[in-house]
Amino acid sequence: MINKIHGKVIEKKESSLVLMTTVFDFELLVSAFCLANFNLSDKVELFTYLYTRENELKLFGFLNSDEREIFKELIGVSGVGPRAALRVLSNIRYNEFKEAIDREDIELVSKIKGIGKKMAGKMFLHLQGKLLINSELESTGLFRFKELEESIVSMGFDRKIVNSKIREAFNLAEFANLKDSEKEQFLFKEVLKRISN
């Protein structure tokens, strides 16, 4: 997968940027907020997502890994394609969208052209508890346990509950006194115990 592209903006279109790298020119579809962030000749670094279908190959660009993760979660919602996901991120900044999902602000999301209340409701059902942006995790020190969270969720547990139980265990005095090498195993056992109770 292409993770990031470094290059110079050589063209700005309605919803994309064309970046010149040392060998290729790449056109990346981007959100309106991303597009507004750059001017011609700017040297930029964009996170990317390559969308592939049988007769379609499109490269999407993002300001940071958080915007990309929310895009990936959005296209996982039934009926939401990459264009619709980009439309959402062009109308609401990725962090504001996450906050809207967290506080169940269906009115804000349903006002986006082409979304409506039915699709907004689908998004809320699918995304609640799933949108954790890296900057939040980094500020609490929880980011390094993201893989642990994923492994517990893959066992069939609800992400929101798993995340809540990790935060509870993370704040225990017992956890703080452990060596770094012991912390992940402690969290795993403690979270499973708390979910089961």
Side-chain angles (χ1 to χ4, degrees):
M1 181 179 133
I2 304 169
N3 181 53
K4 254 192 230 181
I5 286 185
H6 304 254
K8 186 167 79 172
V9 179
I10 59 169
E11 193 176 347
K12 283 182 77 170
K13 299 185 179 181
E14 188 180 340
S15 59
S16 66
L17 291 168
V18 179
L19 298 189
M20 181 177 70
T21 65
T22 50
V23 183
F24 302 105
D25 292 352
F26 290 95
E27 183 175 0
L28 294 91
L29 295 160
V30 296
S31 70
F33 296 111
C34 183
L35 191 67
N37 223 45
F38 303 113
N39 296 308
L40 288 176
S41 297
D42 282 355
K43 288 184 178 176
V44 303
E45 174 186 289
L46 292 177
F47 282 81
T48 60
Y49 179 80
L50 184 63
Y51 181 81
T52 56
R53 287 295 177 269
E54 196 173 306
N55 56 351
E56 193 176 16
L57 191 67
K58 294 192 183 303
L59 190 61
F60 291 83
F62 306 94
L63 288 166
N64 51 46
S65 60
D66 289 331
E67 188 181 37
R68 179 174 66 185
E69 288 310 308
I70 288 178
F71 173 86
K72 285 161 71 175
E73 290 290 353
L74 273 166
I75 62 174
V77 178
S78 175
V80 178
R83 292 279 188 178
L86 208 56
R87 192 162 56 247
V88 170
L89 294 172
S90 290
N91 281 271
I92 309 174
R93 287 186 185 276
Y94 67 90
N95 54 332
E96 291 168 359
F97 176 73
K98 181 209 174 288
E99 287 166 12
I101 294 291
D102 286 347
R103 67 173 183 267
E104 300 182 24
D105 191 347
I106 201 162
E107 289 299 321
L108 178 64
V109 177
S110 64
K111 284 178 185 171
I112 298 169
K113 187 180 176 184
I115 298 301
K117 287 199 173 179
K118 187 178 177 182
M119 181 53 75
K122 251 187 188 182
M123 286 180 183
F124 277 74
L125 278 173
H126 183 84
L127 299 175
Q128 275 201 317
K130 287 187 177 179
L131 301 181
L132 293 167
I133 62 178
N134 293 339
S135 52
E136 282 183 351
L137 295 172
E138 284 165 2
S139 68
T140 61
L142 284 166
F143 184 68
R144 61 196 174 109
F145 300 111
K146 186 73 178 151
E147 283 186 18
L148 172 73
E149 179 191 307
E150 292 297 334
S151 67
I152 298 174
V153 169
S154 71
M155 294 165 70
F157 296 107
D158 180 83
R159 185 179 298 276
K160 198 169 188 177
I161 294 169
V162 171
N163 183 257
S164 166
K165 299 305 178 187
I166 288 175
R167 286 171 189 269
E168 285 175 18
F170 186 81
N171 290 316
L172 293 172
E174 186 183 349
F175 174 79
N177 293 326
L178 292 170
K179 294 176 187 173
D180 281 350
S181 59
E182 300 169 333
K183 287 183 174 180
E184 191 165 331
Q185 189 176 8
F186 173 84
L187 278 181
F188 184 77
K189 288 178 180 175
E190 189 66 26
V191 169
L192 289 180
K193 184 173 81 178
R194 286 168 179 264
I195 290 173
S196 303
N197 288 342

